[in-house]
Amino acid sequence: MSLDQVRTIADAVLYEGYLLYPYRASSHKNRSRWQFGVLGPPYATAASFGEEPGMEMQCLLAPQDGPAAVTVHLRFLQLQVREVRSTGEDGAEAPVDQLTVDGVSVMSWDEAVEREVVLAALPLDEPADTVHEVAGGEDTEPVIDAQGTVVGRIVRRRLPLTVRIRTHAVMDDGCVRLTVSVTNEHPEPADSKDAAIRASLIGAHLLLGAHDAAFVSLLDPPAEAAEAAGRCRQHRCWPVLAGPKGSTDTLLGAPIILYDYPEVAEQSPGALFDSTEIDEILTLRVMTMTEEEKAEARATDPRAREIIDRCDGMSPAGLQQLHGLLRDPHAPQPAALVGPPGDVRDVEPAAFDTAGAPWWDPAADASVRPESDAVVIDGVRVAKGSLVRVHPSRRADAQDLFFAGQVARVTAVLADVDGGTHIALVLVDDPASDLHDWYGRYFYFAPDELTPLSVEESAPHREENRS
């Protein structure tokens, strides 16, 4: 197994939720940052809201020639408290929330340090039970102004952690069913939320490499392994094949559910760390921040500084690239960590292409022309430019409440690969409708959720558009 081939995906899992926009320490969203893969201390009180201490996954391997074994990588973040201290004229130090030196601020904040525990080449025919100590510690860094005077210190503290990793395997229909469990065994009590998270493993996930064996997909197992795959049980950790498509020597056990061979979308210029992030939306959100907010974000965390600088330096072409892409809809698709799949109303067909051409290109399918296609609703032909009233009925989105009863203009009629019909709309009264047209971002409804407007009902809205 080459860990480098899957490190990008593993790092995306590791830092999922590390920062929550708008990337400032004062943001209320950043008060509950750690979202996934948190293994809390076992002796946390109810008042601490600590996460449960364990996770466990089961996977299947097909033995090959030689003694089968696995290498287990447990990866997680160890919380590090960054305390900023200001030095007074008398030389005494005092903790402060923020210290500004020569126009640059540094803030007290909770950082995190990457940790990895490796169990190399564990034989599958022997159970393993190992306990590992992760050292705590304290580091200091002086804060020096332009004149060379020490005006403060940054103190970083980490609690020691204790983690137990167990593995055992049994035969199941010719396959080996491997169980891997991870438990936080921090021995001290935690009676507050801060105390619990500081004694937790954060973003915990597993990377497994097979030796003389091949991992079997649990999402799409071969027929002979289907029943064995159905007997695998997961607890807060879900295994998927990782690495180059078609490879079977690497498995990712993640605290979020992914497909086999997940990939970070190639359009993404860098990590944003928000849970189930959508790069375009978060980038635009960063661009709306004031200079004061950006300065606070930069002082909050070095990774926040990287995000702000990257978004500030993004070109219009780079931003447009984030708008969306759909590869060949008939080909198997990898999971994209950037932008989880939503319902049909979140899709952006105008931005999609297939091998560089629109998927409805006549060269690909002469029967599909969204610009001129029509559908009959209540005996009325509805096509691009038609006005309709929206009556959401499928409860796919909370926004349905706002669409109910609204008048909308049809921008396209589309058919999906399963034969369903979807009508692209913009709301007539939406002041951003022209922007939606420019971006090709529409709302999608089924024909039975729309009522065509009569000529008399349409006239006032058409007059408004002309004016």
Side-chain angles (χ1 to χ4, degrees):
M1 173 183 68
S2 173
L3 189 61
D4 292 339
Q5 292 178 318
V6 295
R7 187 171 290 278
T8 300
I9 297 298
D11 286 350
V13 172
L14 184 66
Y15 283 98
E16 193 72 27
Y18 179 80
L19 290 166
L20 300 178
Y21 73 95
Y23 311 114
R24 292 173 290 131
S26 63
S27 168
H28 285 285
K29 281 185 174 289
N30 266 333
R31 306 296 169 82
S32 298
R33 296 162 53 198
W34 316 105
Q35 303 290 309
F36 301 105
V38 177
L39 306 186
Y43 301 110
T45 65
S48 72
F49 296 99
E51 298 276 359
E52 64 176 281
M55 69 179 189
E56 183 175 279
M57 74 170 195
Q58 292 184 332
C59 59
L60 293 181
L61 297 99
Q64 298 173 343
D65 295 334
V70 292
T71 292
V72 176
H73 298 255
L74 169 65
R75 305 176 78 235
F76 58 92
L77 297 176
Q78 179 184 23
L79 190 139
Q80 177 171 265
V81 178
R82 184 181 73 206
E83 181 184 78
V84 178
R85 296 179 179 177
S86 176
T87 303
E89 294 182 0
D90 59 356
E93 292 183 349
V96 294
D97 292 335
Q98 179 173 328
L99 180 63
T100 301
V101 181
D102 300 324
V104 178
S105 297
V106 60
M107 305 184 70
S108 295
W109 180 248
D110 283 349
E111 303 172 327
V113 181
E114 293 182 21
R115 299 299 186 206
E116 184 168 340
V117 177
V118 181
L119 281 64
L122 298 175
L124 289 182
D125 58 359
E126 298 178 13
D129 187 344
T130 60
V131 177
H132 306 267
E133 302 294 336
V134 180
E138 178 175 311
D139 305 317
T140 63
E141 174 187 346
V143 179
I144 303 173
D145 65 13
Q147 286 72 43
T149 303
V150 176
V151 296
R153 281 197 306 155
I154 300 172
V155 181
R156 294 179 169 91
R157 296 190 186 91
R158 300 168 301 279
L159 286 181
L161 302 174
T162 303
V163 58
R164 181 184 294 271
I165 304 174
R166 296 185 179 94
T167 66
H168 72 272
V170 297
M171 295 302 298
D172 190 341
D173 275 358
C175 293
V176 177
R177 185 171 76 243
L178 173 67
T179 301
V180 183
S181 65
V182 180
T183 308
N184 181 352
E185 295 197 346
H186 184 74
E188 302 296 328
D191 56 6
S192 70
K193 185 177 178 181
D194 286 343
I197 195 62
R198 290 170 185 174
S200 296
L201 282 64
I202 300 168
H205 62 280
L206 294 162
L207 282 175
L208 273 61
H211 309 279
D212 292 316
F215 288 110
V216 176
S217 171
L218 299 187
L219 296 175
D220 187 21
E224 62 273 16
E227 291 188 7
R231 286 188 284 270
C232 290
R233 296 292 178 263
Q234 319 303 337
H235 179 63
R236 307 182 73 208
C237 188
W238 287 267
V240 294
L241 299 178
K245 295 177 187 176
S247 61
T248 56
D249 65 341
T250 308
L251 191 95
L252 169 63
I256 52 180
I257 298 176
L258 302 170
Y259 292 102
D260 286 335
Y261 308 113
E263 297 177 355
V264 172
E266 61 188 21
Q267 292 79 17
S268 176
L272 290 165
F273 305 125
D274 187 26
S275 57
T276 59
E277 64 201 33
I278 300 175
D279 281 34
E280 182 182 34
I281 293 175
L282 296 189
T283 300
L284 291 171
R285 173 65 186 89
V286 171
M287 290 178 174
T288 68
M289 295 170 67
T290 66
E291 291 304 315
E292 291 76 14
E293 289 172 332
K294 290 179 180 179
E296 183 186 347
R298 289 185 172 97
T300 296
D301 189 278
R303 290 182 174 86
R305 184 185 306 119
E306 292 174 8
I307 292 170
I308 299 296
D309 292 345
R310 185 172 67 242
C311 292
D312 277 356
M314 186 171 292
S315 67
L319 182 61
Q320 180 65 28
Q321 182 172 279
L322 300 181
H323 187 53
L325 181 71
L326 175 66
R327 297 167 181 83
D328 181 358
H330 301 289
Q333 295 297 312
L337 291 185
V338 180
D343 67 49
V344 69
R345 295 174 198 178
D346 298 321
V347 179
E348 302 164 13
F352 292 174
D353 67 21
T354 300
W359 66 271
W360 57 76
D361 191 319
D365 187 350
S367 67
V368 180
R369 296 178 180 272
E371 294 291 311
S372 59
D373 283 349
V375 63
V376 176
I377 303 176
D378 295 340
V380 178
R381 183 180 184 274
V382 172
K384 181 178 180 180
S386 297
L387 295 180
V388 297
R389 194 172 300 279
V390 183
H391 304 286
S393 61
R394 303 192 178 192
R395 297 188 179 276
D397 198 308
Q399 293 184 90
D400 286 356
L401 295 173
F402 300 100
F403 291 123
Q406 296 286 328
V407 174
R409 174 171 53 84
V410 175
T411 60
V413 176
L414 305 102
D416 63 28
V417 294
D418 296 319
T421 299
H422 309 286
I423 301 176
L425 309 172
V426 291
L427 297 181
V428 169
D429 292 334
D430 185 348
S433 59
D434 290 342
L435 183 62
H436 293 321
D437 268 333
W438 183 80
Y439 260 120
R441 173 169 286 167
Y442 306 118
F443 300 108
Y444 292 80
F445 290 87
D448 61 9
E449 296 180 289
L450 307 175
T451 300
L453 266 62
S454 66
V455 175
E456 294 77 13
E457 290 175 313
S458 299
H461 299 287
R462 298 191 188 281
E463 289 294 334
E464 289 175 11
N465 288 340
R466 280 196 290 270
S467 62

